[in-house]
Structures are given as C-alpha cells and as structure tokens.
C-alpha cells in the first residue's frame, strides 16, 4: 500500500462524490416535481406506496356472534420464533362446540418479526394479517403490546374465506351476557 492509499484521501473524495451526486439527482427530481427521495414524517404521515399484498397488522377473525374465532390452542404461540404471543385460555361449559376461548390474547410488537408463521399454524383461521401498518411508535416497550380488543376491530364488508354477518346488538348495561366473556383487561 502506497503512502497515498494509506492517507485514504482518494476514498474519502470518491465517497463525497457519490453522496453529492445522489443529493443533486434527488434535488433535481424534487425541483422538477418528479418522484425523488421519499421523505415521510412518520408517525404523522403513513406511506401510501406499500405493496397491495403488504401484511402488517395482526387481526383476530370473529364468529357471527362477535366472539373471537380463536380456540386458545396456543399453536401460534408455540410456532412463533420470537415468542411474542401470549394467550390466556378460558373455559365455557355452556358452549359445547367451542369450550375454550381466549381471555387474553396479546402480541408484543417490540419483538415481533412479522414472519406470518402464526397465521400458517392456526387451525381455525383465527389470526390473520391485514394490509394496515401497525402503529409502532411508543415511548416505552410496554405500550407496544397489541391487545385482543385492538385485534378484534377488523370487520370487513366482504371476506372470501367466511361471511361476516352484522354483529348482534350489545346488551344494555346491567344486562349480563351469559357465559361471562368480557374484554381483556391488559
């Protein structure tokens, strides 16, 4: 290695040339109104150029009565490589077809790798990923847990896999629902 190469001056000048070239090219596109470098002020703005098949946010599908399709079998939590899914199962003796149900179903988005293995492992098609991008901005990692109530907000107009009839009206306060299934509290 010569003293000129040991000074790293040629490589520094070459790097500055590349950076300046990219800057001027993006500036020229921006000035002429063409699409240059994309700057998005996240989380206030969301990118609109995600692929149509992008899958980002986990959702739980529902039965016609509005209860989650999940049978709390823990297959998704077992297959998850990052171990971010936590399910607490409940038992309802009054429902012989689906005696087990999730009391608590949560996903830790601070460690989720969005691999989709949980969806592949689910025997009931209870968990899916929708096109929406989850809000991953939080001051601490405890605020990045996605709860069951947030995952049950998906109610599509039409689903090719199963029909989604309108949800029945919720009972008025004071009228207890049989079975005692309530929303998760975590």
């Amino acid at each position: 290695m010569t003293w000129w190469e040991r000074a790293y001056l040629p490589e520094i000048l070459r790097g500055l040339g590349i950076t300046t070239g990219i800057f001027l090219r993006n500036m020229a596109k921006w000035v002429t109104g063409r699409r240059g470098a994309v700057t998005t002020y996240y989380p206030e703005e969301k990118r609109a150029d995600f692929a149509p098949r992008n899958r980002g946010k986990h959702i739980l599908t529902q039965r016609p009565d509005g209860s989650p399709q999940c049978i709390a079998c823990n297959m998704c939590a077992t297959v998850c490589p990052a171990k971010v899914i936590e399910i607490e199962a409940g038992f309802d003796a009054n429902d012989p077809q689906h005696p087990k149900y999730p009391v608590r179903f949560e996903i830790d988005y601070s460690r989720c790798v969005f691999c989709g293995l949980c969806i592949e492992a689910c025997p009931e098609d209870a968990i899916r990923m929708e096109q929406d991008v989850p809000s991953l901005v939080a001051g601490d990692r405890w605020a990045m847990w996605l709860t069951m109530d947030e995952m049950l907000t998906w109610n599509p107009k039409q689903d090719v896999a199963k029909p989604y009839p309108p949800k029945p009206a919720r009972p008025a306060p004071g009228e207890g629902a049989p079975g005692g299934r309530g929303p998760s509290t975590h």
Side-chain angles (χ1 to χ4, degrees), residues 133-164:
V133 178
S135 178
L136 298 175
V137 179
D140 62 358
R141 61 179 44 208
W142 295 108
M144 297 180 76
W145 283 81
L146 188 66
T147 63
M148 187 167 76
D149 296 333
E150 294 171 88
M151 285 189 272
L152 285 173
T153 57
W154 190 64
N155 195 5
K157 301 273 188 237
Q158 184 178 9
D159 187 9
V160 293
K162 61 180 78 171
Y164 271 79

Side-chain angles (χ1 to χ4, degrees), residues 10 26 31 34 47 57 93 170-171 176:
N26 283 329
V31 168
R34 293 179 295 161
R47 291 179 61 168
K57 186 178 178 185
R170 292 184 168 242

Side-chain angles (χ1 to χ4, degrees), residues 1-153:
M1 188 180 272
T2 65
W3 69 271
W4 181 253
E5 292 171 340
R6 274 188 258 156
Y8 298 107
L9 192 56
E11 295 303 318
I12 291 172
L13 293 176
R14 195 168 72 95
L16 285 174
I18 291 172
T19 303
T20 305
I22 292 172
F23 171 75
L24 292 176
R25 195 174 10 197
N26 283 329
M27 181 63 81
K29 287 180 180 177
W30 182 75
V31 168
T32 58
R34 293 179 295 161
R35 185 182 173 90
V38 177
T39 302
T40 305
Y41 298 99
Y42 186 81
E44 290 84 13
E45 296 177 7
K46 288 190 177 181
R47 291 179 61 168
D49 59 345
F50 283 112
R53 293 184 175 260
N54 175 56
R55 297 293 176 258
K57 186 178 178 185
H58 292 81
I59 51 148
L60 286 176
T61 58
Q62 303 168 30
R63 294 194 179 100
D65 64 351
S67 63
Q69 182 90 22
C70 178
I71 56 172
C73 67
N74 275 322
M75 288 291 288
C76 54
T78 303
V79 76
C80 179
K83 305 295 180 201
V84 299
I85 300 175
E86 291 188 8
I87 302 172
E88 182 180 331
F91 186 78
D92 185 7
N94 297 328
D95 189 0
Q97 290 184 334
H98 310 103
K100 280 181 68 179
Y101 64 93
V103 175
R104 187 173 65 92
F105 190 110
E106 296 176 344
I107 297 177
D108 184 4
Y109 268 171
S110 66
R111 296 184 299 142
C112 181
V113 293
F114 300 95
C115 62
L117 287 176
C118 52
I119 298 161
E120 299 291 329
C122 183
E124 295 289 323
D125 189 27
I127 186 167
R128 295 185 189 175
M129 292 173 89
E130 69 173 342
Q131 191 176 2
D132 191 16
V133 178
S135 178
L136 298 175
V137 179
D140 62 358
R141 61 179 44 208
W142 295 108
M144 297 180 76
W145 283 81
L146 188 66
T147 63
M148 187 167 76
D149 296 333
E150 294 171 88
M151 285 189 272
L152 285 173
T153 57

